Amino acid sequence: MNWEKFRETGSGSTDTTMPCPPVSSEATSVSKEIDPNHVLMVADFFKAIAPDSSVNDFTSFDSFSVLFQSNTRALSISRGRVSCSLVVTPALSNFFNGLHGGAVASIAERVAMACVKTVVSEDKHLFLGELSMSYLSSAPISSELVVEASVVRTGRNLSVVTVEFKIKETMKVTYLSRATFYHSLISKL
């Protein structure tokens, strides 16, 4: 199968005997049950909707890092508090040119996890048990947000963190999040 022809025209033969499907990362594995044509169509879809280069490596081991690493920057980190700056880019926007709700939830989870790690000992394994979101208003493209997380409660078995998203210019709260993390000891076996 000629993958370049498929990429140019959007069609091609149904020959799927190519030894390796077209993916942009060597660490990515694709099931043999999936038609390589579908893999290429999804890859081309992501490349077509990416207005900038922040999502070009969507097949990396941790694609969320690729989406958010160029948009997020730590402002301050202290015990029980983390503050970050977030720039809304077209790659993170929805159809209405505001910050996508899924991106808000993903960023809230990551910042909350970073915040809870400032108070919980390293010998405890953390996992997200609950994440609640309140979408109060939209953050438009090119706006800068301040994301502030703080630990509300931490105990032996769980920690609760709140995350606020505020537009930097007006300090208007746009999104609120509350995350509950459960602790478990890592086995020494």
Side-chain angles (χ1 to χ4, degrees):
M1 163 132 201
N2 184 350
W3 293 108
E4 292 306 316
K5 178 184 175 197
F6 183 89
R7 185 168 278 152
E8 292 169 8
T9 64
S11 63
S13 69
T14 57
D15 176 24
T16 59
T17 59
M18 192 166 209
C20 101
V23 293
S24 64
S25 174
E26 294 157 9
T28 303
S29 63
V30 178
S31 172
K32 293 180 182 179
E33 298 171 0
I34 297 176
D35 182 5
N37 292 330
H38 293 138
V39 174
L40 183 61
M41 287 180 358
V42 169
D44 287 343
F45 169 76
F46 279 114
K47 288 179 182 174
I49 64 169
D52 57 18
S53 62
S54 65
V55 293
N56 283 343
D57 192 17
F58 63 90
T59 57
S60 69
F61 177 75
D62 187 4
S63 61
F64 291 117
S65 292
V66 173
L67 283 172
F68 304 132
Q69 70 187 356
S70 62
N71 302 8
T72 326
R73 167 173 56 95
L75 297 175
S76 68
I77 300 172
S78 61
R79 182 170 168 78
R81 298 183 80 72
V82 171
S83 180
C84 298
S85 172
L86 169 72
V87 177
V88 180
T89 61
L92 299 178
S93 66
N94 58 19
F95 180 76
F96 302 104
N97 292 327
L99 185 58
H100 191 279
V104 173
S106 296
I107 293 166
E109 188 268 336
R110 289 198 169 233
V111 174
M113 178 68 84
C115 184
V116 79
K117 284 186 176 183
T118 64
V119 295
V120 174
S121 65
E122 292 182 17
D123 65 336
K124 292 193 176 181
H125 180 70
L126 300 172
F127 61 94
L128 182 65
E130 179 183 0
L131 181 68
S132 64
M133 298 295 306
S134 296
Y135 300 94
L136 306 175
S137 66
S138 178
I141 292 177
S142 300
S143 63
E144 186 173 356
L145 300 176
V146 176
V147 183
E148 296 176 336
S150 60
V151 174
V152 176
R153 178 190 184 284
T154 189
R156 195 177 90 198
N157 296 324
L158 66 91
S159 294
V160 179
V161 179
T162 60
V163 183
E164 291 183 345
F165 291 75
K166 299 175 185 176
I167 295 179
K168 187 175 183 177
E169 293 175 356
T170 62
M171 292 310 281
K172 175 183 174 185
V173 177
T174 55
Y175 313 104
L176 292 172
S177 176
R178 184 178 177 102
T180 303
F181 292 95
Y182 295 100
H183 310 173
S184 62
L185 293 173
I186 297 174
S187 175
K188 303 276 188 201
L189 296 177

